[in-house]
Amino acid sequence: MGLLNAASWAKVWAFRASFLKGLGTTAATAAIGLLLALALGIIFGLMSTSEKKVLRGIARVYVEFIQNTPVVVQLCFLYYVLAFSGHSIGILYTGMISLGVYHGAYMSEVIRAGIQSIPKGQFEAARSQGFSYSGMMYYIILPQSIKIILPPMVNQVVNLIKNTSCLYIIGGADLISVTYSFVTGATTGGAYAPAYVACGIIFFIVCFPLSSLASAWETSLKKREQRQVNAATTQPETEEEEAVL
């Protein structure tokens, strides 16, 4: 049915509880997937900046393999391998693990970039004070890198939420899957355009504020860094003027 068909919109509104239930499943899947992604991101991010070549190599293999294969392929592989081996853990848990592993690779790159953005002098100063690697990261390096890490990390959260739509491939109960079931149902079918527009609006309402937050955050950090650079460059000139006087 057409986008401007009032009956189709009325049908979508009548079944709004189903769409909200799908949104709840999407939110739960994204939340668990995000926790796993953060855990993997921290582990492999620290490994990728480790002084041990073996750890850096393992982290690099993980990141390159995961980032260069589609999340849909990873999702289907995990689901069907577990299903045919008789160890199925269910569609939602499969989705949570797949999304967590996939976005964990991107999170680790964000953390690696944040750590490597810290001046080497900070690392040398920490070592000279007798800090171990873990102590140096926990007390000195990571607190300084958080402001650099958070904006791109928020973008990864947005991408993770959108990628929950991949659960539709294996028959999940997420928002996209609920929308598909609605438009193909015996009693609800036909309202294709309104249903998918409503689905898109719900995703937009969830994702747009997060994207805006990340952009505003990044802009604020750049302005702050520029002010610090300007202050650092003008200070020597002021000191020279005072010396002349």
Side-chain angles (χ1 to χ4, degrees), residues 135-173:
M136 175 177 63
M137 286 295 172
Y138 184 80
Y139 291 106
I140 299 174
I141 305 303
L142 288 178
Q144 294 183 70
S145 62
I146 288 208
K147 65 179 182 179
I148 300 169
I149 290 172
L150 285 178
M153 192 172 282
V154 173
N155 282 327
Q156 284 303 314
V157 173
V158 174
N159 290 333
L160 191 153
I161 293 171
K162 292 187 291 186
N163 279 339
T164 57
S165 59
C166 294
L167 268 69
Y168 155 74
I169 301 295
I170 56 175

Side-chain angles (χ1 to χ4, degrees), residues 16-159:
R16 61 189 179 278
S18 298
F19 288 89
L20 293 176
K21 184 177 180 180
L23 175 61
T25 302
T26 291
T29 303
I32 302 301
L34 175 60
L35 291 177
L36 178 57
L38 285 172
L40 292 174
I42 292 171
I43 292 170
F44 284 97
L46 292 174
M47 287 173 62
S48 65
T49 57
S50 172
E51 297 173 347
K52 297 181 179 180
K53 190 174 181 180
V54 174
L55 295 180
R56 294 200 307 270
I58 294 172
R60 198 74 251 150
V61 169
Y62 165 68
V63 170
E64 294 296 340
F65 180 79
I66 296 298
Q67 287 190 350
N68 289 287
T69 53
V71 63
V72 173
V73 173
Q74 298 170 26
L75 177 63
C76 291
F77 175 80
L78 180 62
Y79 177 73
Y80 289 111
V81 164
L82 291 175
F84 286 118
S85 65
H87 299 89
S88 178
I89 57 175
I91 293 172
L92 291 182
Y93 287 112
T94 301
M96 293 171 185
I97 294 172
S98 298
L99 292 174
V101 171
Y102 181 76
H103 286 279
Y106 289 91
M107 290 287 193
S108 70
E109 285 293 272
V110 169
I111 293 171
R112 178 188 63 80
I115 292 173
Q116 292 180 342
S117 68
I118 303 301
K120 291 183 179 180
Q122 296 288 329
F123 292 85
E124 295 170 356
R127 292 190 188 96
S128 67
Q129 294 297 319
F131 281 92
S132 64
Y133 178 78
S134 58
M136 175 177 63
M137 286 295 172
Y138 184 80
Y139 291 106
I140 299 174
I141 305 303
L142 288 178
Q144 294 183 70
S145 62
I146 288 208
K147 65 179 182 179
I148 300 169
I149 290 172
L150 285 178
M153 192 172 282
V154 173
N155 282 327
Q156 284 303 314
V157 173
V158 174
N159 290 333

